[in-house]
Every structure is written in structure tokens, then in C-alpha cells.
Amino acid sequence: MSTPTPIAVLGAGPAGMAATLGLLKAGHDVRLYERYAQARPAGNILNLWPPPIKALEDMGVDIDDLGAPCHTTFRSEPGHVRADVRIPDDVVARYGGGFIGMLRPDLYSRMLAAIPDGVVQTGRELASIDDHGDGVTLRFSDGEIVETPVLIGADGIDSTVRRHLWGATPKRPHHLHIIGGFTFDIDDVPGLERGEVVLTHNRTVQGTYSSIRRDGRDGIQWWVLEAWRDDQEAPADLRAHATGLAAGFRGPLSDLVARTDVAHLQRWPIRDLAPLERWSKGRITIAGDAAHATSPYAAYGAGMSICDGYFLGQALVGVDLADDADVVAALGAYEQLRIPHTRSQVQQAYILGKVFHHAPSVLRPVRDFILDRTPLLQRQVGERSPGEIVAQLAEMGAGILAPAER
């Protein structure tokens, strides 16, 4: 049985929900297909820069008190500030702090609440894709056949849609892992700096904590990051392992780990995908991790995914979905705008991981001398990278329905 359907978005993570919201705002009908029984967050801790906050607001997502405003510094273990992440005061004032800390499930619940009933279809696993020029045929594992004018693959790092378009892409292991968690038991933590992201490196480990907010309640998310072979078994006791790593840092990190419930601990290996030259082919394109899976060193994976949805909406405003040439041109315009920015962020995150965690032991003192005594890190992560991110605000224009002139 064949059922005609609106634009199809595959995957109900931040990219898929944002694509759905962006396309709805652009005036199109959309269905969001999720393979699992419910949209569920992969992880718990999260930070957002100003562009995704702007995108969420324009898409109709409630951003009131969404997270804790934070100021970010990169520091050496003794406390020397190597880089101060600078965001213009007007941007900080406009977007609730400019850089906010929050929990990932809270983002999911806010985005889902903005999507109309009936749009999200759960328990729908895709079996095959056929782009036949004037539309795309989707076959699901339950036997249903769906025809759609456009397919957006927002189905994660193991994307079926990306594989259909461009073949298998091996994951790029960083040979790093993160153990992170969160706690709201922070009232009497000695030395705690609130409203900050304190990102500290010793010779081999990154130890970080960041303010968060949930339902008006202040808390802290933290993580420790170290070199870890991709084929190596995970530590048997995450708390014990994180406790040992946190002990290498001054300040409140050890106390925060100790106050974290084991149910609020998580570990994940870091992998990404080497950037593609193209995302779109015919009436199909990709977004989010399917297009630009990135290391948490960018602190921008979910944020870039949200912005993908915003720019997809802009690209398809007023487009006649029955016109093959118009659809192809719109998807081409979308990827041409997004690929340079996302590639830069993915590659920078990959390089930072190598610099901080894979430098040969004999070179680490030289590396640390350069980072402590020169403006290298300040220029790159304190000024250039946030400058590129903030510049996205101008590229976004006044809204999905009011794009900037290009």
C-alpha cells in the first residue's frame, strides 16, 4: 500500500527536530520518522552557543530560562588562563548569556513540545530509499511504502541516508573518551566558580565543569577527557576512574564527582566523520551528525545540528516541491552555506584533541610553554572560533522567513 506524505525527516535527535521545525516554519508539511519507540537523548550534558539559541527561538521553541549563562576560559592546571572565550556584550545580553549550560533531555523536551501532534512517527525503521527524480520512495521495515518530495537524513553518525548517498564512511576514531555527569548538590562546594565554564588541562587530561540550569534550579555539569584507545574496554568503575582523573586538578572538580549520583554518570568514546565535499544529491540531503559528526571539543555538535534545521527551512521557503530543479537548487544552497562552517568546527575539534592528548611525552612541556607564554590559543579558541560562530548570527538574517541577503 502506498501512502502520499509530506517532506520526510529521518531521525528525532536535535538535527531532525530542528529540520522539522524549520520546514514547518517555512510553510511545508513534514513527518519526522524515528526508529525507536520515543525520541531519546544520547547523553546528558550540553552547551549551546548564540546561533542555535536564535534558531530555537525563531522555530517557536521556548527558550526562557533554558540554561545557565556561562563565560568560558581555557586554563592550565596551575590556573593560568590560556584563552578567554570572547563573545560581544550585546550578543551576551540578547541571547541569555551567549553560551549556556543545560541538560540534553531538557532540550529534547522543549523541542518536542514545539512540534505539532501527529508529526513525529516513532517505531519507524527505514528499510530502503529510492530517489526516482520526481520524488523519493521510502520503504519501512513494517512494510509501509511512503512517497515524499524531499528526504532529510538526520539519522546520526551511523546514517542510513548518508550511506545511501555517498557509500560507507568509516568513523574516525580520536582515541579519546569522556566520562561526565551532573549534580545539583552544589551549595557548599569550596572554590566553585558559578556562571563559568572552567576548562582546564594538565599534561594529559582535560577536567572541566560548567554551570547548568534545570527548571529554575542551578547545578553543575562536569567531565574528564583523556586518551583512550578506541578498541580498549571501558573502565569497569566509571566513578572510580573519574575520581582518579579529577584528583589531578585543583579546585572543586573532585568534590563535584563525589557528589554525582552514579545514575547521572555517563561515558562515551569520541569519534567523528571526516567532512564531505557534498551533502545533497537529487531530492535528498543530510543534517546533524549524519553530515558533520564532531568531537565535543567544539562544544557545538548539537548547536550546529539545530542551525542546519534553521537554514534548511530558509532554503526551502517558497520552493515548489513539485519542481525538480527548484528542489535541487534549494538543497544545494543549503549545503553550500553549511559545509564550510561545519567543516572548520569539526577539523578544529579534531586537532585540539590531538594537541592536548596525543602529543608525544617529550613535546608536552614545549606545548605547554607555548600555550602559557604565547597568544596562540587565545587567537584560535578565544577569538577566531567564537568569532566564526557569532558571525553566523548575521548569516541567519532576521528569521527563517527573512533570510539575510547573500
Side-chain angles (χ1 to χ4, degrees), residues 13-153:
M17 290 189 285
T20 299
L21 289 166
L23 292 165
L24 288 169
K25 183 67 179 281
H28 296 291
D29 201 2
V30 188
R31 292 295 178 271
L32 173 57
Y33 297 100
E34 167 58 42
R35 64 178 298 185
Y36 295 108
Q38 60 183 4
R40 57 182 191 175
N44 47 25
I45 57 183
L46 181 70
N47 293 93
L48 288 180
W49 291 88
I53 298 171
K54 174 177 179 172
L56 290 170
E57 182 179 38
D58 189 60
M59 293 170 179
V61 176
D62 177 13
I63 64 167
D64 183 52
D65 202 28
L66 180 60
C70 293
H71 166 255
T72 305
T73 51
F74 281 67
R75 307 182 189 184
S76 66
E77 194 283 321
H80 174 71
V81 175
R82 291 168 163 172
D84 181 349
V85 177
R86 296 175 180 169
I87 301 175
D89 290 343
D90 61 327
V91 174
V92 171
R94 171 66 181 83
Y95 296 102
F99 188 71
I100 63 172
M102 61 185 301
L103 295 180
R104 191 174 291 260
D106 297 346
L107 174 65
Y108 274 60
S109 63
R110 299 262 186 132
M111 295 183 77
L112 282 169
I115 298 175
D117 292 342
V119 171
V120 180
Q121 306 287 316
T122 57
R124 306 300 305 279
E125 185 169 2
L126 187 66
S128 69
I129 304 166
D130 177 24
D131 183 350
H132 43 78
D134 58 351
V136 182
T137 301
L138 306 178
R139 290 176 173 81
F140 289 91
S141 58
D142 61 5
E144 184 178 4
I145 298 173
V146 166
E147 297 291 338
T148 182
V150 179
L151 172 62
I152 312 299

Side-chain angles (χ1 to χ4, degrees), residues 10-11 13 15 153-162 273 287-293:
L10 194 69
D155 48 339
I157 193 170
D158 295 309
S159 170
T160 298
V161 179
R162 176 176 172 136
L273 296 172
D289 281 355
H292 49 72

Side-chain angles (χ1 to χ4, degrees), residues 50 83 117 179 199 215 217 240 321-322 325 344:
D117 292 342
I179 301 172
L199 199 157
D215 298 328
R217 189 181 179 195
L321 300 184
S344 173

Side-chain angles (χ1 to χ4, degrees), residues 139-208:
R139 290 176 173 81
F140 289 91
S141 58
D142 61 5
E144 184 178 4
I145 298 173
V146 166
E147 297 291 338
T148 182
V150 179
L151 172 62
I152 312 299
D155 48 339
I157 193 170
D158 295 309
S159 170
T160 298
V161 179
R162 176 176 172 136
R163 186 167 60 251
H164 169 82
L165 291 176
W166 307 113
T169 307
K171 295 176 188 174
R172 181 167 63 173
H174 290 220
H175 299 292
L176 303 170
H177 76 159
I178 290 178
I179 301 172
F182 64 93
T183 179
F184 292 94
D185 178 16
I186 64 170
D187 289 342
D188 58 346
V189 177
L192 184 67
E193 297 180 49
R194 299 185 184 230
E196 293 285 334
V197 178
V198 180
L199 199 157
T200 307
H201 290 94
N202 62 26
R203 286 283 167 87
T204 58
V205 178
Q206 181 197 132
T208 302

Side-chain angles (χ1 to χ4, degrees), residues 139-314:
R139 290 176 173 81
F140 289 91
S141 58
D142 61 5
E144 184 178 4
I145 298 173
V146 166
E147 297 291 338
T148 182
V150 179
L151 172 62
I152 312 299
D155 48 339
I157 193 170
D158 295 309
S159 170
T160 298
V161 179
R162 176 176 172 136
R163 186 167 60 251
H164 169 82
L165 291 176
W166 307 113
T169 307
K171 295 176 188 174
R172 181 167 63 173
H174 290 220
H175 299 292
L176 303 170
H177 76 159
I178 290 178
I179 301 172
F182 64 93
T183 179
F184 292 94
D185 178 16
I186 64 170
D187 289 342
D188 58 346
V189 177
L192 184 67
E193 297 180 49
R194 299 185 184 230
E196 293 285 334
V197 178
V198 180
L199 199 157
T200 307
H201 290 94
N202 62 26
R203 286 283 167 87
T204 58
V205 178
Q206 181 197 132
T208 302
Y209 70 87
S210 166
S211 290
I212 58 173
R213 281 181 69 78
R214 165 177 266 185
D215 298 328
R217 189 181 179 195
D218 293 322
I220 294 289
Q221 61 185 358
W222 59 265
W223 60 91
V224 287
L225 189 157
E226 65 174 335
W228 195 269
R229 289 196 323 275
D230 203 53
D231 60 356
Q232 189 175 350
E233 291 291 329
D237 186 332
L238 291 185
R239 180 193 287 282
H241 195 81
T243 298
L245 294 178
F249 295 88
R250 308 174 200 199
L253 190 59
S254 291
D255 200 355
L256 294 169
V257 174
R259 292 169 183 245
T260 300
D261 189 301
V262 291
H264 299 156
L265 281 172
Q266 189 173 23
R267 173 202 178 258
W268 60 99
I270 297 178
R271 306 181 182 105
D272 71 4
L273 296 172
L276 291 168
E277 295 299 319
R278 291 182 59 198
W279 292 355
S280 309
K281 186 185 294 183
R283 289 174 169 269
I284 306 174
T285 194
I286 51 179
D289 281 355
H292 49 72
T294 185
S295 161
Y297 254 104
Y300 203 22
M304 287 193 295
S305 298
I306 291 166
C307 289
D308 289 346
Y310 179 96
F311 284 109
L312 263 171
Q314 276 193 343

Side-chain angles (χ1 to χ4, degrees), residues 321-371:
L321 300 184
D323 189 313
D324 297 338
D326 280 1
V327 171
V328 170
L331 297 183
Y334 153 71
E335 71 171 28
Q336 287 173 17
L337 185 64
R338 298 300 292 152
I339 286 176
H341 178 66
T342 58
R343 179 192 291 123
S344 173
Q345 296 297 319
V346 169
Q347 290 299 92
Q348 175 177 275
Y350 181 70
I351 291 167
L352 285 174
K354 285 187 169 294
V355 168
F356 281 113
H357 304 286
H358 291 304
S361 58
V362 295
L363 294 181
R364 291 171 194 160
V366 177
R367 173 202 63 194
D368 292 346
F369 179 87
I370 292 171
L371 295 179

